[in-house]
Amino acid sequence: MTAVVFLVLLVLGAPIGIILCIAALAFISSSGNDILLSSFGLQMFEALNNFGLLAIPLFILIGELMNGAGITQRLIRLAAAFVGSLKGGLAYVNLVANMMVASILGSATAQIAMMTQVMVPEMEKDGYPRDFSTAVTAFGGLLGPIIPPSIVFVVYAVLAQVAVRDMLVAGILPGLMLSGLFMGTIALLGYRYNYPRGPSLSWRERFAALWGALPMLLIPAIIIGTILGGFGSPTEAAALGALCAALLGLFFTKTLKFSDFGPILLRTGISSSLVLFLVAAAGVFSWVLIFGEVPQTVAVWIQSVATTPVTFMLLVLVILLMVGTVIDGIPGLIMVVPILLPIATDVYGINPIHFGVVVSINLILGLLSPPVGIGLYVAAGVAKISPIAVFRASLPFFAVTLVALVILALFPQISLAFL
């Protein structure tokens, strides 16, 4: 009954948080354990009773303040000054700017929408096909939830009960590796289709662009430096980053006014409540899964198919790739982690941080995969182009992301290098 209710609501397009709560209630009703209803609200509250979750609204606030402070444009000019003169220069600018924005924003969908609006018209004006321009921007946005800060990694850390700091740090090398693979793809496509070069700037002009963007680079430096240096928790680092973004917008770029803070805080509150409600729903759904011994049942089946940690990880990649095509990142994470994590750690001895990096990136890829892929539709909608055309143009980037996932699954040292 629980599975039927879940699938029907999913097909009808109900919000995933509501689906999880109703499915949990359906299980309680079908099992006859009505006494569990008295703990339903308590389980939702307990899921949110975690200091690490405070980082989520603060990271969202940083993104809102960054938009209001005009930080993105300065980072794009900095990227153009150093990589714009390469063949396919604006594609490199797009990717490098996405990397820098990712180290501040931490949200793929917001990043894709913002960067598509800025970069696609510029690339098209310079002679790049619109579908390729949109594909580069969309997959550049994929770096948002990987390079710290990352809301997806924070949610995983809470679900898996591991340190938020460790999850964020574990995303550094995978994010850089994926960026390198994307750059290699752009280089090959640039020579294949003879994409144009941008103007070559003098070192004086490059230094001027660096000087103009230097204060903006303080934000990721403060966030990552505070976490890596052990000077504060990710939540405290996010608070410092938000303060820094606000001060830059008010007194450096002067594009942010005190009257803007009301709407910014309102948008932050709405976005945060959506994510946190998902986490609360995940808490009660996980509680029901454990009570119904679902992880144990799945473990028996997986052990009959996967005999080693390597085959288990490869099986997980296939399963999550299918899950990611119909369910987006955080909801997918909330659904699969309570089931697969105990199997990964208890049966196969896989490090939960390493498992979290692979699972998170795998599900994030679903943001850009048909038929649901919200990131794909956001990019296509902003660029006014067919989502199928964007997906076709993005296939080379999709392929190298799959290669990166296999490498990360087979070599845990990449994720665990800084721990």
Side-chain angles (χ1 to χ4, degrees), residues 129-215:
R130 184 182 295 189
D131 56 355
F132 172 75
S133 306
T134 309
V136 173
T137 310
F139 269 82
L142 192 70
L143 301 172
I146 301 171
I147 298 176
S150 166
I151 293 172
V152 173
F153 280 5
V154 172
V155 172
Y156 174 85
V158 172
L159 292 174
Q161 297 184 346
V162 297
V164 174
R165 174 199 175 276
D166 290 346
M167 275 306 303
L168 294 180
V169 170
I172 295 175
L173 273 186
L176 294 176
M177 182 183 76
L178 204 54
S179 302
L181 288 172
F182 287 167
M183 287 183 184
T185 305
I186 290 172
L188 291 174
L189 294 174
Y191 281 98
R192 170 69 177 81
Y193 296 105
N194 196 30
Y195 288 139
R197 296 176 184 270
S200 182
L201 303 182
S202 67
W203 280 104
R204 180 186 293 272
E205 291 170 315
R206 290 175 179 175
F207 181 77
L210 177 61
W211 184 254
L214 197 59

Side-chain angles (χ1 to χ4, degrees), residues 159 282 285-286 289-290 295 333-342:
L159 292 174
F285 188 69
S286 302
L289 287 179
I290 293 168
L333 199 69
I334 286 168
M335 285 176 51
V336 303
V337 168
I339 298 172
L340 294 180
L341 180 63

Side-chain angles (χ1 to χ4, degrees), residues 186-265:
I186 290 172
L188 291 174
L189 294 174
Y191 281 98
R192 170 69 177 81
Y193 296 105
N194 196 30
Y195 288 139
R197 296 176 184 270
S200 182
L201 303 182
S202 67
W203 280 104
R204 180 186 293 272
E205 291 170 315
R206 290 175 179 175
F207 181 77
L210 177 61
W211 184 254
L214 197 59
M216 315 307 164
L217 299 177
L218 284 175
I219 300 175
I222 286 173
I223 294 172
I224 297 172
T226 301
I227 296 170
L228 282 179
F231 300 112
S233 68
T235 302
E236 292 160 342
L240 287 173
L243 177 62
C244 184
L247 293 175
L248 286 173
L250 287 170
F251 304 113
F252 185 74
T253 64
K254 298 182 179 178
T255 56
L256 200 61
K257 302 180 180 65
F258 283 104
S259 59
D260 295 329
F261 280 88
I264 284 174
L265 291 172

Side-chain angles (χ1 to χ4, degrees), residues 332 363 371:
L363 288 171

Side-chain angles (χ1 to χ4, degrees), residues 116 120 124 130 134 378-385 390:
T116 301
V120 171
E124 197 174 14
R130 184 182 295 189
T134 309
V378 166
V382 174
K384 296 179 174 60
I385 186 174
V390 177

Side-chain angles (χ1 to χ4, degrees), residues 177-178 181 310 313-314 317-318 354 358 361-362 399-412 414:
M177 182 183 76
L178 204 54
L181 288 172
V310 170
M313 289 299 286
L314 294 177
L317 291 183
V318 174
H354 168 228
V358 174
I361 296 175
N362 207 336
V400 298
T401 305
L402 290 179
V403 170
L405 276 169
V406 172
I407 293 171
L408 289 170
L410 298 180
F411 299 99
I414 299 173

